[in-house]
Amino acid sequence: MPADPAFPDVPADRLRDGGWALVDESVETVFKLPTARVEGATKVFDDAGTREAVREAVGFDHQWRFFFATALSFTPPLAPGIGPAMILPTVRSEAQSAFAEELADRGFESVERGRKERVRVDSGDRARLRTYSAELDLAVDATLSITGWVGVWHGDGFRIAAGAYPDQSLSTLLDIEKPPEPLRRTPSDYRAELLALIRAVA
């Protein structure tokens, strides 16, 4: 039997210092190619610090931001004549579709695909990013609008890294008059942190 795929390396210190908590770790078949089954070893993180700050401020519990990283493996291994560049478009398309489905599974509606960007990740490899937008009606008479990013690249194997964040400060969204620091953060703050986390995956 083939060994389970290795999990991706994530910036553990940065995640811990930023208040993130590991909430799931799993290995599953993410999609199938004509000649191979593609398995993903995934770590999922929740912004526990912000979640706790909102809970203390208004008594409402919700996951406001998430981040995940996946390392892919192929069973059976890709044939020698099939290079990563040949299947990268398929992997990218499948990863983006899976991310949109993930948002829908989390209850988000009006999921729309946005622009593409290219970035160089910390390993030196080039990743292509795609943005998504979506909305969720909350139980506190507010609508949470989010931006999601999903990046796919090939370095030491195929990597997928993605996450989502609110499109406005939570103090504004939830009408909190004297918010603690985590709830004053802006969408640009969230964006910068998520992209730094994505780039740091190896």
Side-chain angles (χ1 to χ4, degrees), residues 77-101:
L78 295 175
I82 302 178
M86 295 177 65
I87 62 170
L88 185 56
T90 300
V91 171
R92 186 182 298 123
S93 176
E94 292 287 348
Q96 292 171 357
S97 296
F99 183 73
E101 291 174 4

Side-chain angles (χ1 to χ4, degrees), residues 95-117:
Q96 292 171 357
S97 296
F99 183 73
E101 291 174 4
E102 172 71 14
L103 292 177
D105 289 344
R106 289 170 178 261
F108 285 92
E109 299 179 343
S110 303
V111 179
E112 295 185 2
R113 188 164 64 172
R115 70 182 189 277
K116 295 185 291 186
E117 287 191 18

Side-chain angles (χ1 to χ4, degrees), residues 11-89:
D13 291 347
R14 182 180 296 171
L15 286 161
R16 183 186 62 248
D17 294 345
W20 295 84
L22 179 67
V23 292
D24 190 40
E25 206 170 41
S26 63
V27 177
E28 61 185 1
T29 299
V30 290
F31 58 91
K32 293 182 179 180
L33 299 174
T35 59
R37 184 175 74 253
V38 184
E39 292 192 328
T42 301
K43 293 183 177 183
V44 183
F45 296 84
D46 175 29
D47 178 4
T50 297
R51 187 169 189 161
E52 176 63 22
V54 171
R55 193 161 51 230
E56 290 182 355
V58 296
F60 179 61
D61 185 43
H62 187 74
Q63 183 181 65
W64 302 102
R65 295 196 294 160
F66 68 88
F67 165 72
F68 71 82
T70 301
L72 299 182
S73 64
F74 299 82
T75 305
L78 295 175
I82 302 178
M86 295 177 65
I87 62 170
L88 185 56

Side-chain angles (χ1 to χ4, degrees), residues 148-167:
W149 293 77
V150 55
V152 181
W153 67 97
H154 183 273
D156 181 19
F158 286 94
R159 296 291 183 269
I160 302 167
Y165 54 82
D167 283 344

Side-chain angles (χ1 to χ4, degrees), residues 121-187:
V121 296
D122 293 356
S123 63
D125 302 299
R126 286 192 176 278
R128 182 177 293 179
L129 304 177
R130 170 77 76 173
T131 64
Y132 283 81
S133 62
E135 294 183 344
L136 176 67
D137 289 333
L138 302 175
V140 288
D141 293 327
T143 298
L144 173 64
S145 298
I146 58 112
T147 294
W149 293 77
V150 55
V152 181
W153 67 97
H154 183 273
D156 181 19
F158 286 94
R159 296 291 183 269
I160 302 167
Y165 54 82
D167 283 344
Q168 60 179 309
S169 72
L170 293 177
S171 61
T172 300
L173 175 68
L174 301 173
D175 195 24
I176 300 172
E177 292 186 359
K178 296 181 178 180
E181 189 279 331
L183 306 188
R184 294 196 300 267
R185 301 184 69 192
T186 65

